[in-house]
Amino acid sequence: MPYRPEQIEPKWQAFWEQNKTFKVEIEPNKPKYYALDMFPYPSGQGLHVGHPEGYTATDIVSRYKRMQGFNVLHAMGWDAFGLPAEQYAIQTGTSPALTTAANIENFTRQIKSLGFSYDWDREINTTDPKYFKWTQWIFLEIYKLGLAYEHDAPVNWCPELRTVLSNEEVIDGKSERGGHPVVRKPMKQWMLKITEYAEKLLEDLDGLDWPTSVKEMQKNWIGKSVGAEVHFKIKDKIDLEFVVFTTRPDTLFGATYAVLAPEHPLVDQITAPERWQELNDYKEFCAAKSDLDRTDLSKKKTGVFTGAYAVNPANGQPVPVWVADYVLMSYGTGAIMAVPGHDQRDWEFAKQFGIEIKSILDGVEVSEGAQTDDGILAHSGFLDGLKVKEAKTKMIEWLEAQGRGRASINYKLRDWLFSRQRYWGEPFPLMQTEDGEVLPMDPKDLPLELPTVATYQPSESGESPLAHCDDWINLTLPDGRTAKRSSNTMPQWAGSCWYYLRYLDPHNDQAGWSSEAEKYWMPVDLYIGGAEHAVLHLLYSRFWHKVLYDLGHVTTKEPFQKLVNQGMILGENNEKMSKSRGNVINPDDVVKAYGADALRLYEMFMGPLEKAKPWSTTGLEGAHRFLSRFWRLYVEEDDKTTSRFTDNALDEATERLYHETVKKVTDDLEGLRFNTAISQLMVMVNHLTGQPQFNKNLAKNLALLISPFAPHLGEELWHRLKGGDTLAYETWPSYDPAKLVAKTLTIPVQILGKHRDNLVVPPGLSQTEALQLALKQDKVVRHLEGREIVKAIWVPDKILNLVVR
RNA sequence: GCCCGGAUGGCGGAAUAGGUAGACGCCAGGGACUUAAAAUCCCUUGUUCGUAAGAGCGUACCGGUUCAAAUCCGGUUCCGGGUACCA
């Protein structure tokens, strides 16, 4: 019988499901391994070929680790709150719950058709009240720590769509869908104090086995700056002062003006009466600026003079105080000391408005641009002669001694806007009384479920449809007061912040997870997913984990020990896959035509997991051809096991290749180098294809070696050879290092670094012996003619290089 | 602009404590089997010169270190990702 994946794949999938082959429980005496996929949002589009890439990688590792004796936790679930289902509900009136359930069913079918070894008894769904009960519980824990607060924050309101959009959904000031204008509108929002964890989030990156790019992105996002706060008093109004943050306190003597953000509270108090009109106009101008204007690259700096002067604390000189929107209220103190000689932004501003530009570095010219490099200080009083670094320290000491400032650290990271004006999300487990008091719900009353609503249309004011649900939103408290629930819900990130913990103990209704399970399974040993989550999901998740750690609910500081981003699979034309480009590959079609094993094998063979790579249908066919060849090693046309199997010992070449193969595949699996592991299996199969007979035991082990990549094929061949049930818990083949050593080696001989000939010799030759043999070879002799050997480089069993004159 | 990553045949990619560049797969060409085709199997395939033996060139570009560089160092170009007045 030829290779028929359409027959063997459903058969083994049914076997695994019926026998619960991959069900796991805590086994204290067994080492654990936790392999995690970024769980998908079950969209209406179904799976695309990018999903199986990461899932196959973790599945291969899971299957391999199981055969190595690890107790492997590998599960799948659904990040099922989200905008598309709600958008569909607005358009059609279909409940998001129904849409979501149908999509999950489709995703489940598709994922199961790929033969992943998930413990399906641990399946989770963020929209299931039994799940989000604990999302709400974690929110209450965060709230109780004082890390959640309400705040009037501007949101992206799209009047046309009557909905609030997340920043990601706003592109160049317009809605991603439909290109409608988006305006900033203040609304009361829940915020989480992630900034309180900035330092820990930064520090603990060091111990993680993550891609440097992701660590780098998180570092930049947190954006730590070390510097100082400096107090500036307003001239002639000695009771008024503002504080600036600077990373360059050493340049204080070069500060020739100061700038306040347009929203800075001091602006109104210090502005000279004759300038009020101008200042107000400018503030309005800034407030009206859209995101589009802000990203305008050709923009010029704008600003107005307040008419007031501040006193430079270093030299007592008056400096003009300006208002300009290049200073942001949301960073630092919303005010800066401007040092145009040594800061390019200040330089441009000063140039434009004719403000003095001063160099405070010895011999440094600043008329053509700011100079931000190190140098020797000058014109700086007590700092003269010092280098930048020393001057910083000394200035901070001086400021502290004078009570005019202190050392200070700032972060770019902002608090996390945690409310969405949407229906399809976790309701906040809080209520607000008529007199404004916020009361958390009693955890034993959780979950707070979503009510059914008559319409999914948001209100004109931008509130979610929950605002129309009078029965749900209005409460009477036992003490007789009335209270309201929030019509906001949590963002999609909430459910995905902790799902890896729910997998540990998914049916626990007393707690989100048991401490026993947490201690046994955590941390996640391998986490694979798309690079698009490099910052937000991974940062939010780390933040929640650290809060849970501080509360004693988890015992590891970090959730994900090793992280890998799979590269994107591009279309055959090397462009991003998209419907509009018409280059989308549907996994269902691939499975139907070539089988799941071929899809898995091909996706892993395309190239390094982390790299982007274009799809190739002929490449996929190659993978399928390889599996057919593999099959034909075992099975004859008449469906009988091949007559080529023997019990005879292996010949030397086959034996060595076999041991090399076990070593290479094992090492490559450890390093997630699936493409080269597969190529080694191909070399092995190519070799055996040329053999009239081969050892049956080798055939068995080869079935084990391929089974992580092509599990259905592996199971079927194993079953045909050995009978019995699954190979999932068989022992992974081992190799004998002694068998890796070849009896003869081919050693290149170079003359002046150019490869000229080879020596075919036994290993362990000495330099003298090698040289003697080389000098007997015609080619070597010919190239040495008329030359003198100056030096011979001999790397034992590797290379001989003759240096001649 | 800044930060990170990358550049190897016609294509995807192998090879880094520096040691035969191009494993493996795809494509292409040739052959076997077949009435024929498909499937399968075998061979060739970096490039130039040469009938051949062989020789020259070759890992984006320029230069350096070394007996030896895809690999290390300095500079340049191009591509991908992130970020955007963060003081």
Side-chain angles (χ1 to χ4, degrees), chain A residues 683-715:
Chain A
V683 171
M684 184 80 231
V685 168
N686 288 346
H687 176 80
L688 291 178
T689 303
Q691 304 280 310
Q693 291 193 313
F694 60 92
N695 181 281
K696 191 172 176 183
N697 216 33
L698 171 106
K700 278 190 208 158
N701 284 337
L702 212 52
L704 295 179
L705 286 178
I706 202 159
S707 68
F709 304 92
H712 312 87
L713 176 73
E715 291 276 24

Side-chain angles (χ1 to χ4, degrees), chain A residues 1 95 430 459 751:
Chain A
M1 182 181 114
S95 152
L430 300 158
S459 75
I751 291 165

Side-chain angles (χ1 to χ4, degrees), chain A residues 741-747 758-765 796-798:
Chain A
V741 185
K743 289 220 176 89
T744 56
L745 297 171
T746 304
I747 296 175
N758 294 317
L759 291 177
V760 180
V761 294
L765 227 58
D797 297 343
K798 274 272 181 178

Side-chain angles (χ1 to χ4, degrees), chain A residues 275-542:
Chain A
R275 294 186 177 268
W276 282 347
Q277 186 61 47
E278 196 184 349
L279 255 297
N280 276 332
D281 289 350
Y282 183 68
K283 281 159 77 173
E284 263 174 49
F285 162 76
C286 293
K289 264 195 182 183
S290 70
D291 286 347
L292 190 62
D293 298 323
R294 281 184 207 162
T295 53
D296 188 356
L297 289 170
S298 64
K299 76 195 157 210
K300 276 191 168 173
K301 293 231 174 348
T302 58
V304 291
F305 178 41
T306 58
Y309 288 82
V311 180
N312 183 331
N315 54 17
Q317 295 292 309
V319 294
V321 179
W322 288 66
V323 170
D325 72 344
Y326 83 93
V327 172
L328 310 172
M329 193 60 221
S330 50
Y331 181 78
T333 59
I336 63 159
M337 62 182 227
V339 186
H342 304 282
D343 181 288
Q344 191 57 29
R345 296 155 301 184
D346 297 345
W347 189 90
E348 284 162 16
F349 189 85
K351 201 81 187 163
Q352 191 169 331
F353 292 100
I355 303 169
E356 184 192 4
I357 300 173
K358 207 164 127 182
S359 174
I360 50 100
L361 288 180
D362 195 22
V364 166
E365 182 54 45
V366 292
S367 57
E368 292 305 313
Q371 162 55 273
T372 53
D373 298 339
D374 199 0
I376 306 291
L377 278 276
H379 322 297
S380 295
F382 59 91
L383 299 179
D384 282 357
L386 297 178
K387 293 177 103 175
V388 166
K389 202 179 161 201
E390 303 151 354
K392 280 185 187 177
T393 316
K394 190 151 185 193
M395 178 55 89
I396 290 170
E397 283 168 9
W398 183 85
L399 287 167
E400 282 175 353
Q402 302 288 312
R404 308 305 265 297
R406 58 183 182 89
S408 170
I409 290 171
N410 253 286
Y411 300 91
K412 272 202 281 190
L413 186 68
R414 312 283 163 77
D415 278 343
W416 175 12
L417 196 161
F418 196 69
S419 311
R420 296 297 126 98
Q421 288 64 45
R422 301 232 170 87
Y423 168 77
W424 193 229
E426 299 88 347
F428 281 92
L430 300 158
M431 47 222 154
Q432 187 163 31
T433 63
E434 52 196 311
D435 40 1
E437 192 187 351
V438 173
L439 297 173
M441 281 175 67
D442 188 325
K444 71 173 191 293
D445 295 332
L446 297 178
L448 172 60
E449 297 194 35
L450 285 165
T452 48
V453 290
T455 169
Y456 297 98
Q457 284 290 341
S459 75
E460 270 157 53
S461 61
E463 288 176 294
S464 85
L466 292 174
H468 311 303
C469 287
D470 295 340
D471 294 351
W472 183 83
I473 212 148
N474 295 312
L475 303 161
T476 306
L477 300 177
D479 63 12
R481 285 186 295 172
T482 60
K484 268 181 180 296
R485 299 192 196 281
S486 169
S487 66
N488 289 346
T489 53
M490 299 186 200
Q492 199 182 350
W493 308 112
S496 61
C497 262
W498 72 283
Y499 73 109
Y500 58 93
L501 291 168
R502 190 60 177 170
Y503 282 140
L504 310 180
D505 196 7
H507 305 294
N508 192 334
D509 55 7
Q510 300 303 305
W513 56 90
S514 72
S515 78
E516 185 201 8
E518 190 277 330
K519 280 192 190 112
Y520 180 72
W521 290 113
M522 285 300 286
V524 173
D525 295 285
L526 176 65
Y527 192 22
I528 296 185
E532 66 274 19
H533 296 116
V535 178
L536 298 182
H537 159 63
L538 288 168
L539 196 67
Y540 294 154
S541 211
R542 292 180 62 221

Side-chain angles (χ1 to χ4, degrees), chain A residues 566-583:
Chain A
Q566 86 263 20
M568 204 183 312
I569 294 184
L570 305 169
E572 273 188 286
N573 54 359
N574 232 309
E575 290 171 27
K576 206 173 158 173
M577 273 192 200
S578 71
K579 262 196 246 164
S580 57
R581 292 189 180 89
N583 60 356

Side-chain angles (χ1 to χ4, degrees), chain A residues 657-684:
Chain A
L657 181 59
Y658 167 71
H659 286 272
E660 276 169 10
T661 300
V662 175
K663 175 173 166 47
K664 176 99 178 119
V665 173
T666 307
D667 292 351
D668 284 351
L669 282 175
E670 290 291 341
L672 308 181
R673 294 179 296 269
F674 306 115
N675 54 332
T676 50
I678 292 166
S679 106
Q680 182 65 35
L681 289 168
M682 288 172 168
V683 171
M684 184 80 231

